[in-house]
Amino acid sequence: MKNRRIAIALGHDALGTTLPEQQTAAKRAAAAIADLVQDDCEIVITHSNGPQVGMIHTAMSEFQRLYKNYTVTPMSVCSAMSQGYIGYDLQQAIRSELVGRGIFRTVSTILTQVAVDPYDDAFYHPTKIIGRVMNEAEAEEEEKKGNHVTPVEGGFRRIVAAPTPLEIVELDAVNALMDANQIVIAAGGGGIPVLQQENKLKGASAVIEKDLIAGLLADGVNADQLIILTDVDCVYKDFGKEAQEPIYKMSCEQAARYMADGEFGMGNMQPKIQTAINFIGDSDSRSVLITRLDRIREAISGQTGTVIRN
């Protein structure tokens, strides 16, 4: 593992939901990351923000509802807030873990923007549910603002687009910090989606799939390995069925064949497998490891987890 550049994608289960859960989870993540740092690996980290950005959006919407003089907080700003406070907890936890081991390394969080296509089909078919439950009158007000809502149990909730990420705006800064031997946290929550408008970047009312940004970030820093941390020990064939079977090793060709056969769930494992295939491409040296945070040590040593390579 020495002198390898590794991108780590922390999923929802690696971060928790509430603030206390997140702080506890960040400490667990820090221990696993410190193990890799001790092996002289260069580390970049991205993370989920699903519960956190929803909580921020709900809180800011409620604030505006109570205080009419305040404007609504754009989704892009909510994403930026989530990057800041999740990054803060991770920085603190990783630094403390490293100092406790006698290792002194700077940990930096980069507020990261990600360019998306304004004509991405996702903007015409939003699917990501965010925010609080609204009544019918509140839902109509949202639609008057140009936002989209969908019926849910008890009322309505807002939905936003999930466009494909094209470019990480601050990628040069990420690489510069990694080259300076820093541990970097970047593109949290998929990054802040932005649209290019002449010489300006405008925040988009959207979210970006965390698996897609993990692959783009790993490719952008030319990582040797992408580690995707999720809620299962490894990838399974016939997952959830009585005859489910663990898959410890897969080639990209095998992974593509399994996907074509509908083996992986569209909303959970399939995006991770597609990300792995995209990241590895035709490389003979790149690999992807999929496992659970609390099994990462065993996975790296080959006792569990799924490794995908050509």
Side-chain angles (χ1 to χ4, degrees):
M1 296 290 289
K2 289 186 181 295
N3 302 316
R4 287 166 57 82
R5 182 165 280 199
I6 297 177
I8 300 174
L10 298 173
H12 162 59
D13 290 276
L15 282 176
T17 300
T18 65
L19 183 57
E21 283 181 3
Q22 178 176 298
Q23 291 173 334
T24 300
K27 290 178 182 178
R28 289 198 301 267
I33 291 164
D35 288 342
L36 296 173
V37 174
Q38 280 192 307
D39 283 339
D40 295 327
C41 294
E42 298 176 1
I43 303 295
V44 63
I45 302 154
T46 187
H47 57 78
S48 169
N49 75 337
Q52 291 85 355
V53 77
M55 180 172 58
I56 291 169
H57 182 271
T58 299
M60 300 309 290
S61 296
E62 185 68 8
F63 185 79
Q64 189 274 333
R65 187 181 69 83
L66 294 173
Y67 300 94
K68 299 300 182 183
N69 293 332
Y70 288 88
T71 57
V72 175
T73 305
M75 189 65 202
S76 56
V77 176
C78 293
S79 294
M81 290 179 176
S82 74
Q83 281 192 9
Y85 100 82
I86 295 172
Y88 168 70
D89 276 348
L90 285 172
Q91 279 184 206
Q92 289 273 34
I94 295 167
R95 182 184 182 278
S96 295
E97 181 69 28
L98 291 174
V99 170
R101 300 186 188 197
I103 301 170
F104 299 91
R105 294 275 291 277
T106 301
V107 186
S108 298
T109 298
I110 296 182
L111 200 63
T112 316
Q113 303 172 96
V114 176
V116 298
D117 184 349
Y119 301 107
D120 191 304
D121 189 58
F123 285 111
Y124 304 98
H125 304 283
T127 58
K128 291 295 182 179
I129 297 176
I130 62 165
R132 65 182 178 89
V133 176
M134 300 175 285
N135 60 35
E136 188 171 355
E138 291 170 326
E140 288 177 358
E141 284 298 315
E142 281 296 317
E143 290 185 319
K144 287 178 183 177
K145 298 173 189 174
N147 296 325
H148 298 272
V149 299
T150 189
V152 297
E153 185 178 352
F156 300 83
R157 291 180 70 186
R158 187 177 165 193
I159 51 173
V160 297
T164 300
L166 301 177
E167 177 187 5
I168 297 172
V169 177
E170 289 78 19
L171 183 61
D172 286 348
V174 175
N175 275 304
L177 291 175
M178 293 189 74
D179 290 342
N181 206 31
Q182 292 196 25
I183 298 160
V184 182
I185 302 161
I192 305 163
V194 293
L195 306 170
Q196 183 77 48
Q197 295 186 347
E198 297 180 348
N199 65 332
K200 297 179 180 179
L201 295 173
K202 178 179 175 57
S205 183
V207 296
I208 295 173
E209 291 284 1
K210 65 182 184 302
D211 295 318
L212 293 179
I213 201 62
L216 191 64
L217 178 64
D219 182 66
V221 301
N222 195 24
D224 299 292
Q225 185 175 51
L226 169 60
I227 299 177
I228 300 175
L229 298 175
T230 184
D231 58 353
V232 291
D233 290 358
C234 61
V235 180
Y236 289 88
K237 186 177 180 182
D238 296 322
F239 180 68
K241 300 177 182 177
E242 189 174 342
Q244 73 174 22
E245 178 184 346
I247 305 172
Y248 296 116
K249 293 181 181 178
M250 265 192 294
S251 67
C252 288
E253 183 179 352
Q254 288 172 320
R257 190 163 60 247
Y258 282 139
M259 281 204 305
D261 292 340
E263 190 62 58
F264 308 120
M266 287 292 294
N268 42 57
M269 191 54 71
Q270 180 151 318
K272 296 171 177 55
I273 301 299
Q274 186 62 64
T275 291
I277 293 171
N278 293 346
F279 165 66
I280 294 168
D282 59 2
S283 171
D284 291 327
S285 59
R286 287 181 172 183
S287 65
V288 172
L289 171 62
I290 300 175
T291 192
R292 212 169 61 192
L293 174 63
D294 58 1
R295 300 299 304 279
I296 191 169
R297 289 174 181 149
E298 295 99 316
I300 287 172
S301 64
Q303 298 175 52
T304 188
T306 298
V307 175
I308 304 171
R309 54 165 43 98
N310 280 323

